[in-house]
Amino acid sequence: MDFRVIGFNDPFLSSLQDMLDASDHDAEKSVNTPSRKYVRDAKAMAATPADIKEYPDSYVFVLDMPGLKSEEINVQVEENNMLVVMGMRQREDEKEKEVRYVRMERRIGKFMRKFILPENANIDAISAVCVDGVLTIIIHKLPPPEPKKPRTIQVQIG
């Protein structure tokens, strides 16, 4: 007997999900059913692995971005200290029109990760470098706040 291990990113599981989604068009949608956009974004986030390291003076985010050029990756900070890394991975145009994929395992499409940055993250001191398919984002920390000194208040005679 042939056993297969099916993971979250398995093409078989993805094809099966697509077939189930197609049959869902005819059925009534439940109020609690997540939208296609939500499911697509959740898959995009799950397929973008990241490591986060903390140093005394900075935070370092390391994300795998195989086969992408730096202009295909968008790094931005949204309001409420939200770091967003996103982009689109596309299949190379085939020169021969008669090419038929026997197996497709490399993920294509939208990718995205969101991270809530800590209060001491200096959002004005961020750098991002992509080398050999690895994106490294360095966010420097703000210096710790000065401890408040006690203030003496003069008591007046009333």
Side-chain angles (χ1 to χ4, degrees):
M1 235 179 172
D2 184 24
F3 289 99
R4 291 181 55 181
V5 176
I6 298 177
F8 184 75
N9 292 326
D10 190 300
F12 173 75
L13 184 61
S14 179
S15 299
L16 182 62
Q17 184 64 42
D18 290 343
M19 287 188 294
L20 291 173
D21 286 348
S23 66
D24 281 351
H25 275 294
D26 301 331
E28 273 189 46
K29 291 281 183 176
S30 169
V31 175
N32 294 329
T33 303
S35 68
R36 286 192 182 283
K37 182 182 181 322
Y38 176 83
V39 172
R40 189 173 49 244
D41 287 351
K43 286 181 181 179
M45 291 181 74
T48 308
D51 293 338
I52 304 171
K53 300 184 264 184
E54 181 178 5
Y55 292 97
D57 63 340
S58 65
Y59 297 100
V60 177
F61 294 76
V62 182
L63 294 95
D64 290 338
M65 301 280 157
L68 290 175
K69 299 175 186 143
S70 59
E71 59 267 10
E72 297 172 317
I73 303 168
N74 184 6
V75 179
Q76 59 188 25
V77 177
E78 295 179 349
E79 55 189 61
N80 298 328
N81 281 2
M82 177 81 68
L83 175 68
V84 180
V85 180
M86 63 183 152
M88 179 72 81
R89 181 176 290 120
Q90 299 176 351
R91 181 115 15 235
E92 300 124 19
D93 291 333
E94 300 293 338
K95 296 189 185 210
E96 300 176 32
K97 297 297 179 190
E98 298 168 1
V99 172
R100 181 178 70 88
Y101 282 94
V102 176
R103 186 174 184 104
M104 286 188 354
E105 292 184 354
R106 293 175 34 212
R107 190 178 184 289
I108 60 169
K110 179 180 178 182
F111 66 87
M112 172 181 54
R113 279 306 295 267
K114 292 183 177 185
F115 306 95
I116 297 175
L117 299 174
E119 294 289 325
N120 67 341
N122 186 353
I123 60 172
D124 295 324
I126 299 177
S127 63
V129 177
C130 190
V131 177
D132 295 333
V134 178
L135 175 66
T136 303
I137 303 169
I138 300 172
I139 303 173
H140 293 283
K141 292 181 178 179
L142 292 170
E146 295 277 330
K148 291 190 177 185
K149 297 177 182 174
R151 193 175 76 159
T152 305
I153 300 169
Q154 186 176 356
V155 178
Q156 299 181 10
I157 300 174

